[in-house]
Amino acid sequence: MTAHRFPPAYRRAPRATGRPLLADMASAAELLATIFRCAPPRAGPQLPGDPAPTTHRRRSTVTDSPPAACVISASEVPANRRRGGDLRTVLSPGTVGSTSGFMGVLSLAPGEAVTEHYHPYSEEFVHLVRGTVRFRLDDVPHTVVAGHGVFIPIGVRHRLENAGDTDAFLVFHLSPLAPRPELGHVDTEPAPGVTG
């Protein structure tokens, strides 16, 4: 049997002792679960050395089961327009209690762009459903048409621009999660409308 070698970014660091992040997010996640009609997130399987399982109370029952399966419409998630386009993170730790990554959709009007950035902890997988988009990956341009996928490795700077004359629609997934949400995205270009 051959051992698989993973780059350092893929190796799981031991969890810190103390209160798990999921416990800190429980109240917010339960509120979101009510809004999105999904069960609240629950602690997953425990690994050796992990702290005790986190329990969540729901209708006077206590469970240690994984997050419940659910269906969410992109229209139920608020749009994030901070970096350009209409980006909606549909499935995430905050919406469904996912623990290994998140998925969303992006709509770009003709000529609209998402500013350059990179992800220091995550790979990104993008599928172009509709339109023509110019990806700039570490300063190398790639024109992508509907039906194609783009793999963006950890640390690769990328920028997207709708290069067609119709709206573009993309589906994306990032994994693994960054240790904290604010560490998962590093801007390398000012956001639209920001000067200096």
Side-chain angles (χ1 to χ4, degrees), residues 12 15 18 20 22 42-55 64-65:
R12 286 184 86 175
R15 290 190 182 169
L22 211 52
R42 305 213 173 34
Q46 296 298 297
L47 301 173
D50 278 355
T54 303
T55 56
D64 291 319
S65 60

Side-chain angles (χ1 to χ4, degrees), residues 141-166:
H142 301 271
T143 300
V144 179
V145 297
H148 286 78
V150 177
F151 170 66
I152 305 169
I154 293 171
V156 169
R157 292 176 293 112
H158 52 286
R159 183 182 203 278
L160 319 149
E161 182 178 355
N162 184 341
D165 53 6
T166 62

Side-chain angles (χ1 to χ4, degrees), residues 65-152:
S65 60
C70 64
V71 176
I72 295 179
S73 168
S75 64
E76 295 178 280
V77 180
N80 176 344
R81 298 179 176 274
R82 201 173 27 201
R83 294 175 179 94
D86 180 321
L87 186 144
R88 296 171 189 260
T89 304
V90 181
L91 305 174
S92 70
T95 60
V96 297
S98 60
T99 59
S100 64
F102 63 92
M103 177 280 237
V105 296
L106 170 66
S107 296
L108 290 171
E112 194 171 29
V114 172
T115 56
E116 186 182 81
H117 61 280
Y118 69 93
H119 305 285
Y121 295 93
S122 306
E123 296 176 322
E124 185 166 4
F125 305 85
V126 181
H127 177 74
L128 182 55
V129 177
R130 182 176 58 243
T132 302
V133 173
R134 185 176 306 109
F135 283 76
R136 190 176 71 204
L137 307 172
D138 277 346
D139 295 324
V140 177
H142 301 271
T143 300
V144 179
V145 297
H148 286 78
V150 177
F151 170 66
I152 305 169

